[in-house]
Amino acid sequence: MTYPFGAVVGMDDMRLALLLNAVSPAIGGVLVRGEKGTAKSTTVRALAAVLPPVAVVPGCRFACDPAAPDPACPDGPHEPAAPAQTRPARLVELPVGASEDRVVGSLDLERALTEGVKAFEPGLLAAAHRGVLYVDEVNLLHDHLVDLLLDAAALGTAYVEREGVSVRHAARFLLVGTMNPEEGELRPQLLDRFGLTVEVAAPRDPAVRAEVVRRRFAHDADPAGFGTAWAPEEASLAARIADARARLPRVVLSDDALRQVTAVCAAFDVDGLRADLVTARTAMAHAAWCGREEVTEDDVRVAARLALPHRRRRNPFDAPGLDDDTLDQALEDSRPEDGPDDDPAPPDGPGDGGAPPPPQGDDGGPGPGESRHRDDGSPDGGSPDGGEETAGAAAREKAAVAPSDPFRARRLEVPGIGTGVAGRRSKARAERGRVVGSVRPSGPVTRLHLVDTVLAAAPHQVARGRSGPGLRIAREDLRQATLEGREGNLVLFVVDASGSMGSRARMGAVKGAVLSLLLDAYQRRDKVGLVTFRGGDAALALPPTWSVEAAAARLRELPTGGRTPLAAGLHRAAETLRVERVRDPQRRPLLVVVTDGRATGARGSDALGAAHAAAQRLAAAGTAAVVVDCESGPVRLGLAGVLGTHLGAHTLRLEELAAESLAATVRSVREAA
């Protein structure tokens, strides 16, 4: 189901970002972030109805512009004066599970080798040329497809290379992606390729929500009539986009406006100059959209709000955002010196025009509406009953220990070779990687192993009547290359949060180590889960997810103390892995148990024996595991190593998780605990 573009309510920023890209495709697309059920996909699909139509060369599969046809078009060459055909702009959807050949197109290698014919079947990038390429759940896109998008977005050209046979074609498109941040973040390289980003959420106003439901019911009852009712507004919107496109070349970006753009980008400490270019283009598109031919400060403000939030991030666990006060200050500081003064000071007033001192109370303290704080950030004074609140805050702080600073972690791998989805952790048979052999193809050859193909054909040349320099190749000679790359895994953390973990400094170091492993999982495109055990039971604090941000948040809030039900933690981990094998059977798990190896239970029970038995059952199921030994101090019991033996796991001390250059730092943190 699609709504007319004008029928979407409560999503002003998203609507504006899409419209500005329709006015100026050079902006570079839109990334829409938001919770599920907020009509992200519906709004994007409705964009195609209001885009201006495009003129194409008749019969060209690559949507060449008759006014400037691509000289390297595979369907060309086209005559410059060839007749033109007008068709609506396309919105092409790229499925998350698409193959590489489906995205960039494919060459028929069998015909190329046996007949000398270069037969090319265009892919989705060719279909999206001069239109919109839409990726739903773009954060779940496989890395090898992300690389293809990065290349096409940067160059405006798609390349298909197969064993010396190559094809290139133009691929300039408006890239639009939608995602739910709870399922994981984007790679920084792809994130930066989106010109603009917006956050969407469901409206909280009951009247607005009722209107959305009302329109949905109206569409379901009469789709044709619903579209007809909104057709005039869509036509008006399409005409306004076309008018703004025509006005855009006349929009002037003055030196003062450009100075504001660069000042804002510098104030937010963005990387590189792409942010400046995108912000300037967006400001010009906004001016054209508003009917102006000169960029104003309001245009720069709107452009910065859309173009900078996703470019100022420094930590993968930080949500993107923009501070309005910093934006206002940057714009104010960059105004021309000879411009009007919005708030002139009295010429003969105190301080000779300087800023007045802040208001103060009768005792010289902060004035009304201002808070008073000690150096440590705690309130200085308050209501008579504030002591109980302070004590409660202190108790909560004691329960949830803050993690130490994360470090660069060593790579932990699942042994053997898997067949999971592309990632960066464990070895796997993959679509991309190094060539390790060849097999007879069961279908079309997509990655030819040329040497093995020639070796297979060589013994039959005399029988096939070869008399010249050419090589006679038959279908049975073709060999498909076998590649070895890396896969993403499910990294399930089982964290001991009991009182046996010792002091606050020690638990902080443990949390810092797990946080470092989470950061490593983010970079290697793993799914993550978190099981914790303390007190009398274990809990699945975070079911397996793509969102390492959610795992990091749960880890920071994790309280500590109580008994050590190690067996319960291992049982909960085994059940979690069992369920996940059914949901995602090709994704191999890696169990990371963070503990000192101690176990306590009810009086008279053999808690340690139960834990070792649970570990043996996990090992029998073939679960790859790593035990992180958190024991510290001069006297060591070595219980974590015993647990690792029962798990069939490699046991690492806490400081051994860090890369070599950071090991000394982690060791000092551990010794301080």
Side-chain angles (χ1 to χ4, degrees):
M1 185 201 79
T2 59
Y3 286 142
F5 194 79
V8 180
V9 295
M11 308 179 77
D12 293 339
D13 284 347
M14 178 180 178
R15 188 172 184 266
L16 178 61
L18 292 170
L19 289 172
L20 293 181
N21 271 273
V23 172
S24 176
I27 290 173
V30 184
L31 174 65
V32 184
R33 299 162 45 93
E35 59 194 20
K36 53 186 177 294
T38 50
K40 300 186 296 294
S41 301
T42 299
T43 307
V44 173
R45 293 188 178 103
L47 176 66
V50 297
L51 290 176
V54 295
V56 298
V57 174
C60 178
R61 298 174 297 167
F62 301 88
C64 277
D65 186 352
D70 181 6
C73 175
D75 284 353
H78 303 299
E79 294 294 332
Q85 175 185 352
T86 301
R87 63 163 174 78
R90 290 174 177 167
L91 187 142
V92 177
E93 296 193 37
L94 194 162
V96 170
S99 66
E100 181 176 336
D101 289 339
R102 182 71 184 98
V103 175
V104 298
S106 59
L107 289 170
D108 191 334
L109 292 177
E110 183 176 350
R111 292 187 63 193
L113 288 175
T114 59
E115 303 175 27
V117 176
K118 185 190 292 185
F120 179 69
E121 183 66 28
L124 297 177
L125 295 183
H129 179 48
R130 304 177 66 201
V132 180
L133 181 64
Y134 171 48
V135 189
D136 193 14
E137 305 294 350
V138 63
N139 50 324
L140 304 184
L141 199 64
H142 294 171
D143 277 358
H144 68 286
L145 298 183
V146 170
D147 293 336
L148 296 174
L149 282 185
L150 288 175
D151 291 340
L155 303 174
T157 304
Y159 291 89
V160 184
E161 304 274 352
R162 291 292 187 274
E163 302 298 340
V165 182
S166 64
V167 172
R168 63 159 296 275
H169 63 82
R172 293 183 296 275
F173 45 80
L174 171 58
L175 180 61
V176 180
T178 56
M179 59 174 284
N180 183 350
E182 294 178 355
E183 297 175 343
E185 285 290 349
L186 279 178
R187 282 174 53 185
Q189 295 91 335
L190 182 58
L191 186 65
D192 189 54
R193 289 295 179 186
F194 285 97
L196 310 179
T197 184
V198 292
E199 297 272 352
V200 297
R204 300 302 179 224
D205 185 349
V208 175
R209 297 172 74 99
E211 180 63 18
V212 173
V213 174
R214 190 178 296 115
R215 292 183 184 182
R216 172 61 190 251
F217 284 171
H219 177 276
D220 291 346
D222 184 9
F226 185 81
T228 301
W230 285 96
E233 181 168 336
E234 282 194 345
S236 174
L237 192 59
R240 185 177 174 186
I241 292 174
D243 182 62
R245 275 194 178 185
R247 185 182 300 108
L248 183 62
R250 304 194 300 271
V251 174
V252 176
L253 179 68
S254 65
D255 289 342
D256 291 338
L258 179 58
R259 190 180 302 110
Q260 287 186 320
V261 168
T262 56
V264 167
C265 293
F268 285 104
D269 195 25
V270 297
D271 294 330
L273 294 175
R274 183 176 286 117
D276 304 65
L277 292 169
V278 171
T279 305
R281 288 169 178 159
T282 306
M284 296 173 70
H286 188 262
W289 175 252
C290 295
R292 296 188 295 269
E293 294 188 1
E294 185 171 356
V295 173
T296 67
E297 182 176 309
D298 287 340
D299 298 322
V300 176
R301 184 187 304 275
V302 170
R305 286 181 49 249
L306 297 175
L308 298 185
H310 61 303
R311 291 188 165 87
R312 63 181 301 266
R313 299 180 58 197
R314 289 295 177 268
N315 190 310
F317 301 138
D318 294 337
L322 207 64
D323 181 64
D324 289 336
D325 292 338
T326 304
L327 177 59
D328 292 339
Q329 187 63 47
L331 289 172
E332 181 178 349
D333 292 344
S334 61
R335 287 172 187 154
E337 294 181 2
D338 57 350
D341 193 348
D342 294 336
D343 190 18
D348 300 324
D352 196 21
Q360 295 183 344
D362 295 337
D363 59 350
E370 296 187 34
S371 61
R372 189 186 321 186
H373 291 79
R374 297 193 186 100
D375 291 340
D376 62 357
S378 60
D380 186 9
S383 59
D385 58 348
E388 182 177 348
E389 296 179 4
T390 304
R396 288 191 297 273
E397 183 183 1
K398 184 176 181 180
V401 180
S404 61
D405 293 335
F407 52 83
R408 182 165 54 90
R410 63 186 292 179
R411 180 168 61 192
L412 306 177
E413 297 185 24
V414 178
I417 299 179
T419 56
V421 297
R424 294 190 181 87
R425 183 169 297 280
S426 305
K427 293 181 180 179
R429 296 283 183 256
E431 295 185 11
R432 304 191 72 169
R434 64 187 183 94
V435 177
V436 294
S438 67
V439 295
R440 286 179 177 268
S442 57
V445 179
T446 57
R447 292 193 176 276
L448 182 75
H449 195 297
L450 186 58
V451 173
D452 284 3
T453 299
V454 172
L455 290 175
H460 307 290
Q461 296 306 296
V462 174
R464 292 172 183 170
R466 174 187 172 186
S467 58
L471 189 67
R472 293 181 176 269
I473 297 179
R475 165 67 184 172
E476 59 268 19
D477 301 328
L478 298 177
R479 296 294 183 269
Q480 176 86 3
T482 302
L483 305 182
E484 183 180 285
R486 295 277 176 180
E487 67 178 357
N489 299 109
L490 165 61
V491 182
L492 182 62
F493 294 93
V494 182
V495 179
D496 184 350
S498 67
S500 71
M501 295 301 289
S503 67
R504 291 170 54 82
R506 180 180 172 191
M507 192 60 204
V510 169
K511 286 189 175 183
V514 178
L515 195 63
S516 303
L517 291 172
L518 284 171
L519 179 59
D520 182 69
Y522 166 82
Q523 295 167 342
R524 301 189 188 283
R525 308 302 294 166
D526 296 316
K527 289 180 75 173
V528 295
L530 179 61
V531 172
T532 63
F533 58 94
R534 61 181 290 268
D537 202 1
L540 181 59
L542 185 73
T545 176
W546 293 99
S547 179
V548 293
E549 293 84 358
R554 301 289 172 86
L555 180 69
R556 289 190 181 99
E557 299 166 359
L558 178 64
T560 60
R563 293 187 301 175
T564 312
L566 177 57
L570 296 176
H571 283 308
R572 181 58 60 95
E575 177 62 20
T576 302
L577 295 179
R578 184 191 66 79
V579 173
E580 197 63 19
R581 283 192 189 99
V582 176
R583 293 176 177 171
D584 195 353
Q586 287 191 306
R587 186 176 295 275
R588 296 190 294 164
L590 176 62
L591 190 67
V592 180
V593 184
V594 185
T595 181
D596 56 9
R598 292 181 173 87
T600 57
R603 184 182 298 274
S605 64
D606 183 8
L608 201 57
H612 292 166
Q616 290 170 358
R617 285 191 289 272
L618 280 166
T623 305
V626 173
V627 175
V628 179
D629 184 2
C630 302
E631 192 174 26
S632 61
V635 179
R636 297 175 179 273
L637 301 178
L639 295 177
V642 176
L643 176 65
T645 301
H646 288 290
L647 269 173
H650 184 48
T651 302
L652 297 171
R653 292 169 60 179
L654 195 60
E655 61 267 26
E656 293 175 331
L657 285 176
E660 188 64 28
S661 61
L662 298 176
T665 302
V666 181
R667 188 179 299 110
S668 64
V669 172
R670 181 177 177 276
E671 290 172 354

